[in-house]
Amino acid sequence: MKAVQFHEVGGPEVLTYGDVDQPTPGPGEVLVRVTASAYNAADNGMRAGFLLIPVVLPHVPGYDVSGTVASLGDDVTDLAVGDAVIGFLPMERDGGAAEYVVAPADALVAAPTSIPLADAAALPSVALTAWQALFDDGRLEAGQRVLVVGAGGVVGKYAIQLAKRAGVEVIATASPRSADAVRAAGADQVVDHTTTDVLQAVDGQVDVLLNLAPIEPEQFASFVAAVRDGGAVVSTTAFMATPGDESRGVRAATVFVLRNRERLAELVRLVDAGELTVEVTRRIPLTELQALHTEGAAGRIAGKVVVLVLVWATSDPVGGS
C-alpha cells in the first residue's frame, strides 16, 4: 500500500511517500481503509522530535482518521466490514497517512452521516480536547462563565459551540481576522486582544479560563485574576506551566487529550443533529503531506486541513453511504 512515513526525526524532508507493507489486524483490532486523516500540530512535533511520544520508527503520522472497515481481527463484535468510521488513534502507533491503518476497535465509532466522510476526520481529537478542557478539567456547569483565550483556532470554535450548548456564557479573545468566525460559533462577547486589555474588557470574574494560545507566561499568569475563587485555569499549551492560585482555590489543569469512545460517539450525534459544526478549511492529497508539514513548521497553517488518500478520495463521499 501507499503511505507517508518518517524513518528518523527531523524537518519535513524526513517524510517520504512510497510503498509499505499493508498491516494486518490482531485481536481486538480493525483494518480501516482510509478515506482521510487530519493534520494536527502534534504531528509536526512528533516528526520533529520535540513532542516526546514514544513512536517506533518508521512511523506513519495522522492520528485522526476516517474511513471504512476493511477487515476485523478476532474478538471484534460491534463493527462490521463496510462500516464508515472515524477515530482518534493511539498517537504512538502508525496513523492514517496511508491507504490502510490498523486501529483498536475501541478507538472507532460510526462516522457522521451528515457530512462527507473525508471531512469527518477533522472531528475526533480536537473536539475531544474541547470537551475535556471544558467539562472534565474545567468542570463547567450551566449558568457559569468561561473566558476562552485564543478562541479563533479549531479547538476554540468547538469549545464555544459545546459551552453554549451546555448553557455557559462565553467570553472569547480573538484577532480581527477570526472575530467573525468566533461570533458565528456563538461567543457572547468577543475581545480583540490586539487592541484591548483583556482583563479590563471582562466584566466581572469567570468560572473557568481556558487558554488555547501560545501567550507569554507573564501574561498568562496575569489572566488568573479574572477567575473567581474556587474556579479553574485550563490550558492546552503543554509546553508551559498552567498557572493557578492556591490562596484562592483556583485550580490549574493542563489538557492531555484522552481517547473516549462514548464521548466521541456523542460528538458525532451532535454533528448529525446540527448542534456542532465541523470546520474544514483545506483538503490536500496524501502526496502533499510533506509540503503541509513545511507550512506547519513555519506556523502558516490556519484552520483544519484534511489529507485525502488518493485511491479513495473520490469514493465514499458521505459517511454511511
Side-chain angles (χ1 to χ4, degrees), residues 40-181:
N40 293 287
D43 290 314
N44 182 70
M46 293 165 65
R47 185 219 69 243
F50 58 76
L51 184 59
L52 301 180
I53 304 295
V55 302
V56 175
L57 299 176
H59 177 74
V60 177
Y63 51 82
D64 281 326
V65 68
S66 64
T68 55
V69 174
S71 65
L72 305 173
D74 293 338
D75 305 322
V76 178
T77 59
D78 55 352
L79 292 169
V81 172
D83 285 352
V85 293
I86 63 169
F88 171 30
L89 307 180
M91 296 174 71
E92 69 276 8
R93 294 177 53 167
D94 280 342
E99 289 179 5
Y100 292 88
V101 65
V102 165
D106 63 7
L108 302 173
V109 302
T113 58
S114 59
I115 63 174
L117 182 54
D119 288 1
L123 178 70
S125 68
V126 282
L128 286 169
T129 297
W131 188 312
Q132 182 179 325
L134 293 172
F135 306 117
D136 295 339
D137 296 327
R139 303 174 195 169
L140 267 174
E141 299 178 357
Q144 294 187 325
R145 308 174 80 208
V146 62
L147 170 60
V148 182
V149 176
V154 180
V155 173
K157 281 173 275 190
Y158 279 124
I160 293 168
Q161 294 179 78
L162 292 171
K164 289 302 298 178
R165 180 182 174 276
V168 173
E169 180 184 347
V170 178
I171 305 162
T173 75
S175 68
R177 181 181 63 184
S178 58
D180 287 345

Side-chain angles (χ1 to χ4, degrees), residues 82-270:
D83 285 352
V85 293
I86 63 169
F88 171 30
L89 307 180
M91 296 174 71
E92 69 276 8
R93 294 177 53 167
D94 280 342
E99 289 179 5
Y100 292 88
V101 65
V102 165
D106 63 7
L108 302 173
V109 302
T113 58
S114 59
I115 63 174
L117 182 54
D119 288 1
L123 178 70
S125 68
V126 282
L128 286 169
T129 297
W131 188 312
Q132 182 179 325
L134 293 172
F135 306 117
D136 295 339
D137 296 327
R139 303 174 195 169
L140 267 174
E141 299 178 357
Q144 294 187 325
R145 308 174 80 208
V146 62
L147 170 60
V148 182
V149 176
V154 180
V155 173
K157 281 173 275 190
Y158 279 124
I160 293 168
Q161 294 179 78
L162 292 171
K164 289 302 298 178
R165 180 182 174 276
V168 173
E169 180 184 347
V170 178
I171 305 162
T173 75
S175 68
R177 181 181 63 184
S178 58
D180 287 345
V182 169
R183 289 190 189 92
D188 296 285
Q189 178 185 353
V190 179
V191 178
D192 180 354
H193 65 83
T194 67
T195 61
T196 307
D197 184 298
V198 174
L199 291 179
Q200 290 185 0
V202 177
D203 182 15
Q205 291 183 307
V206 299
D207 299 279
V208 173
L209 163 65
L210 171 57
N211 179 58
L212 306 172
I215 58 178
E216 293 297 324
E218 296 79 10
Q219 184 183 30
F220 195 3
S222 73
F223 286 166
V224 178
V227 181
R228 66 162 174 83
D229 293 1
V233 179
V234 182
S235 179
T236 61
T237 51
F239 54 85
M240 65 176 173
T242 302
D245 187 345
E246 291 185 4
S247 68
R248 297 193 296 114
V250 177
R251 298 180 295 106
T254 302
V255 179
F256 296 94
V257 62
L258 303 173
R259 295 202 321 277
N260 187 312
R261 193 182 198 188
E262 292 74 22
R263 189 163 295 158
L264 183 55
E266 173 64 10
L267 289 164
V268 168
R269 188 194 70 77
L270 294 177

